[in-house]
């Protein structure tokens, strides 16, 4: 264990002292916060430009009901269509057909530049509502406006998740889906990034002949395990720094972008800013200590387990080849389960208890990502226990397999082994 500890310390110190580690650790969370905040800042600073459109209404009853807003300035015009579209005129204009009530497609818009989705959707929505209102009025129903106002209903539904103990906790489908995607993708990114780092580290040391000296005093199994755990400690430190920086920068940005009145009202006991039931459920769930413990605890367990499993696989790949080009061919089978897990993750967000989702959350090669996509929705305890046991058991088995490949592969140069030859290396005794 003392030898493994020395290797872990060497791997950790070698990587955290690199300039690239310091730069990525500081700049990555800063870039993430900037990407989240930039659209809001740009919208506040630049705003959206109002598009002025002249309306030629041949029906005679639509133009007076069109409303200008932040996106559109709609102005009725007496100019003819020929005058509006004459060469040299740079008008934006809308032509509404005379019989638009029976032919809603008789509406044409001419602009000097391509429309944004928001502008087009705003204009189409206004025209649709006006025509629908006219059609309803044709039925000559008394007090139609009052009836429509009374009938209109906005359902505000609070959702709760029931547990076997009888406890009920606030639940938000949007928050669960967001957490599933975010934590699943984070595990994919970290496992792949640091697993490949292990592989390249082994290849570099193999090419420099360092391993030939090290293995004279350390068993290949100890060397590989130390390298995997050393880089795992780098990954955990970097991740914790990222979380702290993102929380600090994100909180500061939130205070800068959120109106002071809203912050003051939220801070006063007993005063809750007006919000719908879905938003309120999301806030209750995200402030639920049990939910956060389950979410972040699950992330830690599956991030570490997924990394250890795939780091052992990538380490075995690195010890079997002596250059990055040859490693890509052997690396492909290792990355296919990760990519497949991302695909299943999207299915899991829609059906977390489906057969495919359940099995992929138990199978070790896909469980780190898929199980994290299921955890926000609630997972039976026996499935979690089985999944974790298989994941860490597979890691130990893969360490043994990778150690077998290490023992032979670190002394092989200039030859790219196939899968059949790798199987022979695993079967070697001694």
């Amino acid at each position: 264990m003392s030898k493994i500890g020395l290797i872990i310390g060497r791997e950790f110190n070698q990587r955290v002292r690199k300039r690239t580690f310091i730069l990525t650790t500081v700049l990555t969370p800063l870039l993430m916060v900037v990407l989240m905040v930039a659209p809001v800042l740009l919208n506040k600073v630049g705003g959206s430009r109002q598009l002025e459109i002249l309306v030629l209404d041949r029906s005679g009853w639509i133009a007076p009901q069109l409303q200008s807003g932040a996106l559109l300035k709609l102005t009725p015009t007496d100019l003819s269509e020929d005058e509006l579209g004459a060469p040299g005129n740079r008008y934006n204009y809308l032509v509404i057909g005379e019989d638009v009530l029976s032919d809603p497609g008789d509406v044409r818009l001419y602009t000097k530049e391509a429309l944004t989705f928001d502008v087009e959707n705003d204009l189409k929505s206004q025209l649709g509502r006006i025509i629908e209102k006219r059609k309803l009025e044709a039925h000559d129903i008394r007090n139609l406006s009052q009836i429509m106002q009374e009938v209109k209903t906005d359902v505000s539904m609070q959702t709760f998740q029931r547990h076997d103990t009888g406890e009920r906790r606030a639940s938000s489908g949007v928050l669960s889906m967001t957490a599933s995607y975010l934590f699943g993708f984070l595990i994919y990114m970290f496992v792949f990034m640091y697993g490949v780092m292990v592989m390249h580290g082994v290849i570099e040391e193999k090419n420099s002949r360092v391993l030939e000296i090290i293995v004279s005093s350390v068993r290949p199994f100890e060397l590989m395990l130390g390298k995997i755990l050393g880089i795992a400690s780098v990954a955990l430190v970097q991740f914790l720094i990222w979380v702290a920086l993102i929380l600090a920068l994100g909180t500061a940005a939130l205070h800068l972008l959120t109106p002071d009145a809203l912050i003051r009202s939220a801070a006063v006991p007993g005063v809750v800013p007006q919000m719908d039931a879905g938003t309120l459920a999301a806030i209750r769930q995200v402030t639920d200590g049990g939910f956060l413990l389950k979410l972040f605890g699950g992330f830690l367990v599956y991030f570490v387990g997924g990394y250890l499993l795939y780091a052992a696989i990538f380490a075995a790949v690195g010890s079997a080849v002596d250059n990055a080009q040859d490693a890509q061919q052997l690396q492909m089978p290792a990355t296919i389960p990760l990519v497949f897990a991302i695909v299943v993750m999207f299915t899991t967000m829609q059906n977390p208890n489906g057969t495919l989702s359940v099995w992929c959350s138990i199978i070790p090669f896909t469980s780190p990502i898929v199980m994290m996509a299921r955890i926000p929705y609630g997972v039976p305890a026996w499935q979690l226990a089985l999944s974790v046991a298989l994941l860490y058991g597979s890691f130990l088995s893969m360490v043994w397999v990778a150690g077998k490949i290490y023992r032979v592969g670190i002394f092989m140069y200039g030859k790219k082994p196939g899968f059949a030859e790798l199987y022979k290396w695993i079967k070697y005794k001694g």
Side-chain angles (χ1 to χ4, degrees), residues 258-278:
T258 305
D260 293 337
L262 183 60
I263 295 177
R264 286 195 297 269
S265 65
V268 176
V271 177
V272 180
Q274 186 176 4
M275 62 186 67
D276 59 24

Side-chain angles (χ1 to χ4, degrees), residues 119-147:
V119 170
E120 185 176 356
N121 189 57
D122 185 5
L123 188 54
K124 287 169 64 178
S125 298
Q126 284 200 56
L127 291 170
R129 287 195 300 268
I130 293 170
I131 293 173
E132 288 173 3
K133 181 181 177 183
R134 185 79 169 196
K135 288 182 176 180
L136 285 171
E137 290 174 348
H139 291 280
D140 195 22
I141 302 174
R142 294 180 60 186
N143 301 324
L144 178 62
S145 299
Q146 181 181 351
I147 293 172

Side-chain angles (χ1 to χ4, degrees), residues 87 258 311 375 400 404:
T258 305
I375 284 177
W400 178 82
K404 291 281 191 177

Side-chain angles (χ1 to χ4, degrees), residues 331-342:
Q331 179 184 337
M332 183 61 66
T335 58
I336 288 176
L338 282 173
V339 176
F340 178 69
I342 286 290

